[in-house]
Amino acid sequence: MNARTIYRFLASTALLLGLSGASLKAQESASVPASQAAGAPQVEVCFVLDTTGSMGGLIEGAKLKIWSIANQMIAAQPRPRLKVALLAFRDRNDSYVTRLFDLTDDLDAVYANLRTFEAGGGGDEPESVNQALYEAVTKVTWSSSRDVLKIVFVVGDSPPHMDYPDDQKYPAVCELAVKKDLIINTIQCGTNPRTTPIWREIASRAEGRFVAIGQTGDVQIVRTPVDDELATLNTAIGATLLPYGHAAQRRALMAKQAASEDADASAAADRLAYNAATGRVVQGAGDLIDDLRTDKVTLAGLTPEELPTEMRTMTSEQQQEYLQQQAARRRELQARAAELLKQRREFIDAEMKKLLEAGKGNSFDRQVAEIIREQGRRRGIQYGDGTAAQPQPPRPDETDSQPQP
């Protein structure tokens, strides 16, 4: 019996036990993220990462902590709308100079792109920092609104080449960043004395902060007693996905979920927390339950070929019943996940307090979170004390109406 068959049995059983037949929109109203409210702040962040050979530890740590960092970025009230870009850089004569993944609110896509980053190249110490900075300022599709918090984090261990005659030098790029209302922060990995003064100057010129961390990023992965169950719940919640649309969209949706199930248990748990906070199972479009609830699609607007495979031969009434079953099972699993995530957060907060007391809190992810909170407050974004956003179990259904195709 495969996972989908097991899920159908469980969903049918749940319906027989009396779960409400409320419409998807009404049933899921409690899960609509606070960031959808009018006037929610907007945060745009670009990570400019040195990916030369000496940066392997930081890159691997970032892969483990990107969901945790994202949770910190949205831990404000009202919850910000977050977009993230990635820009990898090396140097001329390496396999690439820069690789840009533009701003997106699809954190699953950000995670997938980050997973492609590997350390390599470099070797002559100075790197193409100037070009990377210039592209972060000019090629990322930043919002033109001055109400949006726009932040760049430059992370690396080497100074820029200042001997390339056709380069855009960092003083001019910093001036341009200020004109575009961008804040540039610099995070130095390691202790290269030739890097420190330039990293400090870049941050000072672009109204940002300079911080120094260990060469590997010093990220702390705290294992908790509930991680294994959360990993199991991540898989079970993924089994409620209903991919729809053209074939490429359906494949992309399932690839995102598969990547999360292949991830470290702590990263999968952080992803669950982010999804719960934002009211989704997978970031981006492609899941029929979430997209019906948020009016991104209607059943009437889909051709039979665009429907999930198991729904194509169903009558309209059968489709409605099946959607309700899937949504009910999903809410049950999400409610359990919310309980465990709260326990996990409390455990991690206690362990991190011990690490801080032992002088081990100067990590990449913690520095990013502190800078975001500080610079967010400048724009009136009300961040708390540094704890991540806590998902809440969904409220009871409020109506008994049927979802309309």
Side-chain angles (χ1 to χ4, degrees), residues 317-350:
E317 291 75 14
Q318 289 171 333
Q319 289 176 352
Q320 303 291 353
E321 181 179 349
Y322 183 65
L323 286 167
Q324 290 166 14
Q325 291 174 4
Q326 294 283 90
R329 175 59 176 162
R330 177 178 295 184
R331 288 195 307 278
E332 176 187 333
L333 295 166
Q334 288 172 325
R336 175 57 180 162
E339 295 172 1
L340 294 178
L341 287 168
K342 184 175 185 298
Q343 296 174 31
R344 179 176 184 267
R345 185 73 258 165
E346 291 169 351
F347 186 95
I348 290 175
D349 286 345

Side-chain angles (χ1 to χ4, degrees), residues 20-27 320-321 324 397-404:
S20 170
S23 72
L24 289 178
K25 186 180 292 186
Q27 286 176 340
Q320 303 291 353
E321 181 179 349
Q324 290 166 14
D397 299 335
E398 296 177 349
T399 73
D400 289 327
S401 60
Q402 295 289 331
Q404 297 301 312

Side-chain angles (χ1 to χ4, degrees), residues 355-375:
L355 289 169
L356 287 171
E357 291 171 349
K360 298 180 180 179
N362 188 35
S363 62
F364 169 67
D365 52 311
R366 184 170 181 82
Q367 291 292 350
V368 169
E370 288 185 357
I371 291 171
I372 286 284
R373 288 196 297 273
E374 173 194 312
Q375 294 174 353

Side-chain angles (χ1 to χ4, degrees), residues 152-155 184-188 198-200 202-203 208-212 371:
V152 177
F153 287 97
V154 184
V155 188
I184 300 177
N185 302 289
T186 53
I187 299 179
Q188 179 182 350
I198 296 178
W199 249 226
R200 287 186 181 277
I202 291 171
R209 272 186 58 189
F210 161 83
V211 295
I371 291 171

Side-chain angles (χ1 to χ4, degrees), residues 254-274:
M254 298 313 294
K256 291 176 183 179
Q257 179 62 27
S260 76
E261 294 173 13
D262 187 47
D264 180 90
S266 64
D270 286 328
R271 176 180 180 267
L272 274 180
Y274 188 87

Side-chain angles (χ1 to χ4, degrees), residues 235-251:
T235 301
I237 292 171
T240 70
L241 288 168
L242 291 179
Y244 74 95
H246 53 76
Q249 176 173 288
R250 296 197 300 272
R251 287 195 299 269

Side-chain angles (χ1 to χ4, degrees), residues 77-366:
Q77 293 299 327
R79 185 168 298 123
R81 295 193 291 267
L82 174 66
K83 290 185 177 181
V84 176
L86 299 172
L87 195 157
F89 71 93
R90 291 182 178 173
D91 198 7
R92 299 181 185 186
N93 300 318
D94 285 332
S95 59
Y96 61 83
V97 180
T98 60
R99 291 175 58 198
L100 172 63
F101 298 95
D102 205 357
L103 288 167
T104 178
D105 60 2
D106 184 347
L107 264 291
D108 273 306
V110 173
Y111 177 64
N113 292 332
L114 183 59
R115 280 164 58 97
T116 69
F117 286 14
E118 301 291 343
D124 62 345
E125 190 175 284
E127 313 296 356
S128 288
V129 179
N130 283 327
Q131 181 172 335
L133 267 177
Y134 181 71
E135 293 188 11
V137 171
T138 63
K139 291 190 176 182
V140 172
T141 55
W142 301 102
S143 168
S144 60
S145 172
R146 299 187 71 86
D147 294 330
V148 177
L149 177 63
K150 292 165 282 198
I151 295 178
V152 177
F153 287 97
V154 184
V155 188
D157 62 356
S158 297
H161 269 286
M162 300 302 289
D163 54 342
Y164 292 152
D166 56 345
D167 217 4
Q168 295 285 341
K169 303 299 190 290
Y170 70 82
V173 176
C174 289
E175 183 178 346
L176 180 59
V178 171
K179 290 179 180 178
K180 297 185 69 168
D181 205 34
L182 301 178
I183 300 170
I184 300 177
N185 302 289
T186 53
I187 299 179
Q188 179 182 350
C189 299
T191 58
N192 187 334
R194 289 172 291 279
T195 303
T196 305
I198 296 178
W199 249 226
R200 287 186 181 277
E201 184 183 356
I202 291 171
S204 176
R205 285 176 175 270
E207 302 179 350
R209 272 186 58 189
F210 161 83
V211 295
I213 60 176
Q215 180 66 46
T216 64
D218 297 330
V219 299
Q220 302 290 337
I221 306 299
V222 178
R223 309 295 178 186
T224 81
V226 299
D227 284 355
D228 287 344
E229 185 175 352
L230 282 168
T232 299
L233 282 168
N234 179 57
T235 301
I237 292 171
T240 70
L241 288 168
L242 291 179
Y244 74 95
H246 53 76
Q249 176 173 288
R250 296 197 300 272
R251 287 195 299 269
L253 181 82
M254 298 313 294
K256 291 176 183 179
Q257 179 62 27
S260 76
E261 294 173 13
D262 187 47
D264 180 90
S266 64
D270 286 328
R271 176 180 180 267
L272 274 180
Y274 188 87
N275 287 341
T278 57
R280 300 196 65 82
V281 173
V282 172
Q283 297 298 307
D287 171 51
L288 186 58
I289 294 175
D290 277 346
D291 290 354
L292 285 172
R293 173 175 56 80
T294 56
D295 292 328
K296 289 185 177 180
V297 70
T298 64
L299 283 180
L302 298 176
T303 66
E305 292 76 20
E306 292 174 321
L307 286 170
T309 304
E310 57 267 52
M311 292 178 62
R312 293 176 186 175
T313 59
M314 294 179 182
T315 65
S316 176
E317 291 75 14
Q318 289 171 333
Q319 289 176 352
Q320 303 291 353
E321 181 179 349
Y322 183 65
L323 286 167
Q324 290 166 14
Q325 291 174 4
Q326 294 283 90
R329 175 59 176 162
R330 177 178 295 184
R331 288 195 307 278
E332 176 187 333
L333 295 166
Q334 288 172 325
R336 175 57 180 162
E339 295 172 1
L340 294 178
L341 287 168
K342 184 175 185 298
Q343 296 174 31
R344 179 176 184 267
R345 185 73 258 165
E346 291 169 351
F347 186 95
I348 290 175
D349 286 345
E351 292 299 307
M352 289 304 298
K353 183 178 179 180
K354 296 176 185 177
L355 289 169
L356 287 171
E357 291 171 349
K360 298 180 180 179
N362 188 35
S363 62
F364 169 67
D365 52 311
R366 184 170 181 82

